[in-house]
Amino acid sequence: RLGARRGGAAVARAQATRRVVAMAGIFERDWLKAEPIVPALGYLGWLVPSNIPVGSYGGKSLFGCMMGSIGEELAHFPSGPGVHDDFWLFMITWHVGLFLTMTLGQIGWQGRKQGYF
């Protein structure tokens, strides 16, 4: 029995001292490769078109409608916008467009930089 205990302890010790080898280089730490110019150009790339008047907004721009809606909501500040208020439509539409433009701008900038197009 003493030999069985020693053998079991040796196996347990061998399992405890196994080394875990991680493969380096599979996932880069700087995976985003952010360029400071891309957010600025993406913002301008969305701000300019969102300021163009559109007939469906009554001849107003999306950005103008969003800013007007913000002003209306600030007029009765302590209470927030209602669930069915147009503020949410303007805010969500404008921000989805902004983040889509910035994401596609980053993809395009890195694609050009890396020679994909």
Side-chain angles (χ1 to χ4, degrees), residues 21-110:
V21 178
M23 298 179 68
I26 298 296
F27 188 77
E28 297 180 32
R29 287 211 180 264
D30 186 25
W31 60 271
L32 183 59
K33 296 181 178 134
E35 298 280 340
I37 192 75
V38 174
L41 290 176
Y43 179 75
L44 285 175
W46 178 242
L47 185 66
V48 172
S50 70
N51 274 306
I52 298 172
V54 179
S56 62
Y57 290 133
K60 298 178 184 175
S61 67
L62 174 62
F63 186 73
C65 287
M66 184 179 74
M67 288 297 126
S69 177
I70 290 172
E72 290 172 10
E73 294 303 323
L74 285 175
H76 53 83
F77 169 63
S79 62
V83 176
H84 298 291
D85 196 25
D86 284 342
F87 166 77
W88 298 112
L89 175 68
F90 298 141
M91 194 256 323
I92 289 171
T93 304
W94 195 84
H95 281 89
V96 165
L98 173 67
F99 295 134
L100 182 66
T101 304
M102 292 175 81
T103 301
L104 292 175
Q106 180 69 20
I107 291 169
W109 187 278
Q110 290 302 322

